[in-house]
């Protein structure tokens, strides 16, 4: 890290330079406040070590100007014993610390180290915020197809409107990415973005996870727990796989959305909420409403704004853009030179069906980058599934598994795609059938 020293005594500057250079810091110095500020404007040193009393522009003026240029700069004052009150005043207006002359080497290195650590942390936070902002700006969502252009327009229209939104689309299309794009472009961008996969939380825990609980409210509740709604205050709560939520919890969720208040399990106190809710589903919620597995009133409460993400196979013109993006990102991730993509490789990628959508394309590129040492990716270098035929359902070598898949296939055909009716025919629960359908990659729409 670079340290800027400002002191009108050359001998003092030389001593400081030697000590700090030996400690591993890069050092630049100036003989007065005017030259010091010029160097600071040029190099933006994160830590400045300046004398308080100097002819011309003194240390207090250096502090004020440096803070105007970069509020995160860490300024350390050097002062004689008689000017300690002035150094204390400097701390009150933004200096990091002060050292008294003659300087003690150990004290100098200790204070400089702490200031450098704080400066590093601030710079890292700034970098991460820029990275997050860039990553989720909807202008940077990958895709030039008409379908994606419509999605950009929808996000632009709803990002500042405090209404719920429902994002639908197959698995791997990027529903959470769109939710984050909405969040990071509205007034809540500095608040938390809390994502909850409703299908991944055990049924006996999801109520506590969403709404929180008080200590002692049930067995295992050893402490107060603020639920995800409370955690998302002044921000966005993203409820993924909302279609898997139990009916009784749907009723409670509806009440929270209507009242904008939440009550922890075991508490009689209600908590006011300032949370935007965005839900997502890869299922047909209209069908679930008709089958009695999803409340009609909750569906309409969530579906104030609807964004549907098309599968990748319906926007093949976006495949070259996405491929180049993933090639570059994966090469950086694994510290490899970015390879070129040969025409035969791109053609093979464009002809693939992508049952896993954008996520599957990303995984294909990632595996290819890991296993290939070539500077040009050809069709044979791509790590794709062996068989890309539209087989339904997916058969396996194991005859029992294949038989199970065929039984589900027949039940869905007889039920016209209704999971509820098919589950009754098979003598299994709705959730068990739902899991099996996902496991075998069965497209329910094919039976309607």
């Amino acid at each position: 890290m670079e340290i800027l020293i400002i002191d009108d005594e050359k001998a003092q500057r030389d001593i400081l330079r030697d000590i700090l250079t030996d400690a591993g810091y890069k050092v630049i110095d100036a003989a007065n406040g005017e030259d010091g500020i010029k160097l600071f404007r040029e190099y933006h040193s994160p830590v400045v070590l300046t004398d308080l009393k100097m002819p011309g522009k003194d240390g207090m003026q250096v502090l004020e100007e440096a803070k105007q240029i970069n509020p995160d700069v860490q300024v350390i004052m050097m002062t004689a014993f008689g000017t300690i009150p002035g150094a204390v005043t400097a701390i009150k207006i933004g200096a990091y610390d002060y050292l008294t002359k003659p300087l003690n080497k150990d004290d100098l290195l200790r204070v400089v180290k702490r200031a450098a650590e704080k400066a590093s942390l601030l710079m890292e936070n700034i970098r991460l915020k820029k990275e997050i902002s860039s990553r989720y700006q909807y202008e940077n969502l990958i895709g030039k197809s008409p379908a994606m252009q419509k999605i950009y327009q929808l996000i632009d229209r709803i990002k500042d409107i405090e209404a719920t939104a429902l994002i639908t689309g197959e698995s791997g299309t990027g529903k959470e990415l769109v939710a984050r794009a909405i969040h990071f472009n509205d007034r809540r961008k500095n608040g938390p973005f809390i994502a909850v996969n409703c299908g991944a939380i055990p049924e006996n825990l999801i109520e506590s996870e969403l709404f929180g609980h008080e200590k002692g409210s049930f067995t295992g509740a050893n402490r107060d727990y603020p639920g995800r709604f409370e955690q998302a205050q002044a921000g966005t709560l993203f409820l993924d796989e909302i279609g898997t939520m139990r009916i009784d919890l749907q009723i409670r969720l509806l009440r929270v959305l209507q009242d904008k208040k939440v009550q922890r399990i075991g508490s009689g106190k209600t908590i006011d909420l300032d949370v935007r809710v965005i839900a997502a589903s890869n299922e047909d919620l209209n069908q679930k409403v008709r089958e009695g597995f999803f409340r009609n009133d909750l569906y309409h409460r969530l579906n104030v704004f609807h964004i549907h993400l098309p599968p990748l196979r319906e926007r093949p013109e976006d495949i070259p853009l996405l491929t180049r993006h993933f090639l570059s990102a994966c090469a950086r991730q694994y510290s490899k030179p970015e390879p070129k993509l040969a025409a035969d490789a791109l053609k093979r990628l464009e002809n693939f069906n992508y049952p896993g959508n954008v996520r599957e394309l990303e995984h294909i590129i990632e595996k290819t980058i890991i296993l290939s040492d070539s500077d040009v990716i050809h069709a044979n270098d791509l790590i794709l599934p062996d068989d890309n035929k539209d087989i339904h359902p997916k058969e396996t070598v194991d005859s029992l598994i294949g038989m199970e898949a065929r039984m589900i296939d027949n039940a869905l055909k007889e039920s016209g795609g209704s999971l509820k009716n098919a589950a009754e025919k098979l003598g299994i629960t709705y959730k068990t059938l739902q899991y099996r359908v996902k496991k075998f990659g069965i497209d329910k729409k094919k039976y309607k």
Side-chain angles (χ1 to χ4, degrees):
M1 179 172 287
E2 185 178 81
I3 311 291
L4 169 60
I5 299 170
I6 307 174
D7 197 305
D8 58 325
E9 297 180 12
K10 184 178 184 304
Q12 183 72 38
R13 295 198 308 274
D14 291 343
I15 292 171
L16 290 171
R17 174 186 285 277
D18 289 344
I19 293 173
L20 294 174
T21 301
D22 288 345
Y25 297 102
K26 180 181 178 182
V27 178
I28 57 175
D29 65 84
N32 55 65
E34 288 84 357
D35 290 345
I37 288 297
K38 287 179 183 178
L39 285 175
F40 184 72
R41 288 184 186 277
E42 182 177 355
Y43 293 100
H44 293 277
S45 305
V47 178
V48 175
L49 193 60
T50 180
D51 195 12
L52 180 59
K53 291 293 183 180
M54 293 182 292
K57 188 170 290 185
D58 64 14
M60 198 72 78
Q61 291 171 299
V62 167
L63 169 65
E64 292 173 350
E65 290 193 35
K67 284 287 185 179
Q68 288 176 358
I69 297 168
N70 178 14
D72 292 328
V73 64
Q74 305 304 305
V75 179
I76 302 169
M77 289 290 181
M78 297 181 293
T79 180
F81 182 77
T83 55
I84 287 178
V88 174
T89 300
I91 289 177
K92 290 179 179 179
I93 64 172
Y96 176 75
D97 206 340
Y98 72 90
L99 295 164
T100 56
K101 294 181 177 180
L103 300 180
N104 176 278
K105 179 181 177 181
D106 291 339
D107 290 342
L108 168 68
L109 291 176
R110 175 176 50 80
V111 172
V112 168
K113 181 182 178 182
R114 289 206 315 259
E117 288 173 348
K118 183 176 180 180
S120 294
L121 183 61
L122 289 170
M123 288 190 293
E124 178 66 8
N125 286 340
I126 291 170
R127 185 192 68 78
L128 287 173
K129 286 181 180 178
K130 287 181 178 178
E131 182 179 310
I132 290 171
S133 178
S134 174
R135 175 72 177 86
Y136 296 118
Q137 283 182 352
Y138 62 87
E139 292 90 343
N140 292 334
L141 289 171
I142 308 299
K144 62 179 182 179
S145 62
M148 290 303 296
Q149 294 300 318
K150 288 180 181 179
I151 289 170
Y152 302 155
Q153 293 168 9
L154 276 171
I155 295 173
D156 191 42
R157 289 174 59 187
I158 72 174
K159 61 185 177 65
D160 293 320
I161 299 174
E162 294 295 306
T164 54
L166 177 64
I167 305 171
T168 57
E170 296 178 7
S171 294
T173 49
K175 295 184 288 295
E176 183 172 340
L177 185 62
V178 171
R180 288 182 180 271
I182 295 170
H183 170 78
F184 283 103
N185 282 276
D186 73 10
R187 70 172 183 84
R188 298 177 180 274
K189 63 184 176 183
N190 294 321
F193 179 91
I194 304 296
V196 181
N197 187 329
C198 300
I201 302 173
E203 288 190 353
N204 61 326
L205 296 179
I206 189 167
E207 182 176 14
S208 169
E209 192 68 27
L210 286 177
F211 308 119
H213 63 254
E214 294 290 298
K215 180 180 179 180
S217 56
F218 55 85
T219 302
N222 300 319
R223 61 182 177 86
D224 292 346
Y225 176 72
R228 297 303 182 93
F229 270 97
E230 288 182 67
Q231 295 172 33
Q233 283 282 29
T236 300
L237 179 63
F238 175 59
L239 300 175
D240 199 7
E241 293 194 32
I242 190 69
T244 64
M245 185 176 288
R246 297 195 322 252
I247 286 289
D248 59 315
L249 291 183
Q250 292 178 30
I251 297 171
R252 185 164 182 191
L253 174 60
L254 178 63
R255 188 177 304 119
V256 170
L257 294 176
Q258 289 173 336
D259 300 341
K260 295 186 178 179
K261 297 176 186 293
V262 71
Q263 187 174 328
R264 294 182 186 176
I265 298 173
S267 172
K269 178 184 175 183
T270 58
I271 300 167
D272 292 332
L273 293 174
D274 176 22
V275 177
R276 180 176 194 162
V277 174
I278 300 175
S281 178
N282 57 12
E283 300 180 274
D284 184 346
L285 291 185
N286 264 319
Q287 178 69 20
K288 296 201 72 170
V289 169
R290 289 191 294 269
E291 294 176 347
F293 290 106
F294 202 83
R295 291 181 62 91
N296 186 56
D297 47 7
L298 177 59
Y299 172 72
H300 289 291
R301 171 66 65 173
L302 293 171
N303 197 29
V304 176
F305 287 102
H306 182 204
I307 297 177
H308 180 73
L309 285 170
L312 186 55
R313 61 183 173 274
E314 292 181 7
R315 51 185 184 104
E317 60 266 56
D318 290 334
I319 291 174
L321 281 176
L322 287 161
T323 301
R324 283 194 290 269
H325 171 74
F326 292 138
L327 277 172
S328 178
C330 291
R332 287 196 306 271
Q333 180 180 352
Y334 294 104
S335 302
K336 287 190 167 188
E338 183 179 341
K340 295 180 180 179
L341 191 71
D344 62 338
L346 180 58
K347 184 176 181 180
R348 188 178 180 199
L349 289 171
E350 288 176 329
N351 290 334
F352 191 70
N353 193 45
Y354 298 103
N357 291 295
V358 178
R359 187 183 297 131
E360 183 166 17
L361 173 58
E362 182 179 10
H363 290 168
I364 289 169
I365 298 301
E366 183 177 20
K367 287 184 288 186
T368 301
I369 287 287
I370 292 171
L371 297 176
S372 175
D373 293 321
S374 174
D375 57 355
V376 179
I377 301 295
H378 289 280
N380 291 335
D381 298 318
L382 295 169
I383 314 298
L384 274 71
D386 293 334
D387 191 1
N388 189 38
K389 296 177 183 178
D390 187 18
I391 298 175
H392 178 75
K394 295 177 181 176
E395 297 289 349
T396 69
V397 175
D398 191 314
S399 61
L400 288 176
I401 295 176
M403 185 182 297
E404 182 182 7
R406 285 190 292 273
M407 290 174 65
I408 292 173
D409 182 37
N410 291 333
L412 285 169
K413 285 177 180 176
E414 294 173 7
S415 304
S418 169
L419 288 181
K420 181 180 179 181
N421 294 336
E424 291 175 355
K425 287 178 180 294
L426 292 166
I428 58 177
T429 66
Y430 176 87
K431 288 190 73 70
T432 299
L433 178 58
Q434 188 179 49
Y435 170 77
R436 291 287 189 266
V437 165
K438 287 184 180 180
K439 176 182 176 181
F440 294 119
I442 296 172
D443 183 5
K444 294 175 290 184
K445 297 177 183 176
K446 190 171 183 176
Y447 300 96
K448 296 177 181 178

